Amino acid sequence: MNQPIIIGVTPLYDVQRDSIWMVPGYLDGIINAGAVPIILPLTRDTQKLRAVFDSVDGILFTGGQDVDPAYYEEERKPACGEICKERDAMEEQLLRLCRIRKKPAYGICRGIQFFNAALGGTLYQHLPEELPGEVEHHMDPPYDRTAHTVKVDGDSLLYRILGKHTIGVNSYHHQGVRELAPCLTATAWAPDGLVEAVEDRRLPFFLATQWHPEFCWETDEDSQKLFYAFAEACRQSRKSLGFAFECDIL
């Protein structure tokens, strides 16, 4: 009997309640794709993280707090939101492990921002002030609807997953990719030019999207395709695990 594919999901943290929590759509989207999600503990303990990492086939980097601007050598501006240094430190280690071990990594919302900042790029700390325009990047509920479109690069992993040059996406964020990290390639853009997806083409599956498929997976085929592609990449990774890769940007 084949063992199920296991995907580690980075936890959401409520500072006021000092508690771990989770948006069900992250887990349900993975389950619907045929894999089993596990919410990871919030820790920066290297030994514990390595043990957890060895037990999963890929990592989903979820949304949540803003990334600490110290990652891209900037002072924190007044409009920058709440940060969680424990989570930043944890995800930095998990990101490094994914890249060294070539395990699939998929980032959502904060995920794309953390990938970019941790790998040498910069972020807009508050889009309404730093990239003002008519595109709605911080929509009101419900979140399972289109806020704007994105243009998808035809020569990208994202296009191979979706099979479309243009899709409609939801949007719920106030930060975004400014200067792209050297090892990443932008593969989707909002009408105002904001980067909406990135990938590292040197890795089998290293992808992040600014929008939120976890809110739309029940009704949106594109969201389902993203979860299915991630789960399948984790399945293929399990078959070929063992080849180490060291990124010069880490």
Side-chain angles (χ1 to χ4, degrees), residues 22-188:
M22 184 53 59
V23 173
Y26 291 121
L27 310 181
D28 294 338
I30 289 171
I31 292 170
N32 186 63
V36 177
I38 293 179
I39 302 173
L40 301 178
L42 181 62
T43 178
R44 65 175 75 191
D45 184 289
T46 299
Q47 186 175 3
K48 291 183 176 66
L49 284 177
R50 286 183 179 273
V52 171
F53 182 82
D54 287 341
S55 71
V56 302
D57 300 297
I59 302 289
L60 174 64
F61 292 78
T62 57
Q65 284 99 342
D66 289 349
V67 178
D68 188 345
Y71 272 93
Y72 44 100
E73 299 180 346
E74 286 188 9
E75 295 292 328
R76 187 178 176 189
K77 299 177 181 178
C80 182
E82 178 182 278
I83 63 174
C84 179
K85 290 183 179 293
E86 186 81 0
R87 187 172 173 189
D88 286 343
M90 169 185 170
E91 293 191 357
E92 182 178 20
Q93 291 192 60
L94 290 173
L95 188 67
R96 179 184 294 272
L97 288 169
C98 282
R99 295 173 68 78
I100 291 172
R101 296 280 294 279
K102 280 193 171 181
K103 281 190 180 182
Y106 177 34
I108 294 176
C109 193
R110 167 193 157 90
I112 186 175
Q113 296 162 17
F114 188 80
F115 284 14
N116 191 61
L119 295 172
T122 65
L123 302 178
Y124 292 108
Q125 291 194 37
H126 191 56
L127 289 169
E129 294 179 358
E130 299 174 62
L131 189 69
E134 298 181 358
V135 177
E136 179 55 76
H137 288 295
H138 197 274
M139 67 191 296
D140 295 321
Y143 301 121
D144 59 344
R145 58 191 175 89
T146 295
H148 61 77
T149 60
V150 300
K151 181 181 179 181
V152 179
D153 180 4
D155 183 28
S156 67
L157 171 62
L158 184 62
Y159 179 80
R160 294 195 294 275
I161 292 170
L162 302 177
K164 299 176 181 178
H165 288 289
T166 303
I167 63 169
V169 300
N170 55 11
S171 191
Y172 185 61
H173 61 105
H174 82 111
Q175 298 199 324
V177 173
R178 188 174 63 191
E179 297 172 345
L180 194 64
C183 63
L184 297 179
T185 299
T187 58

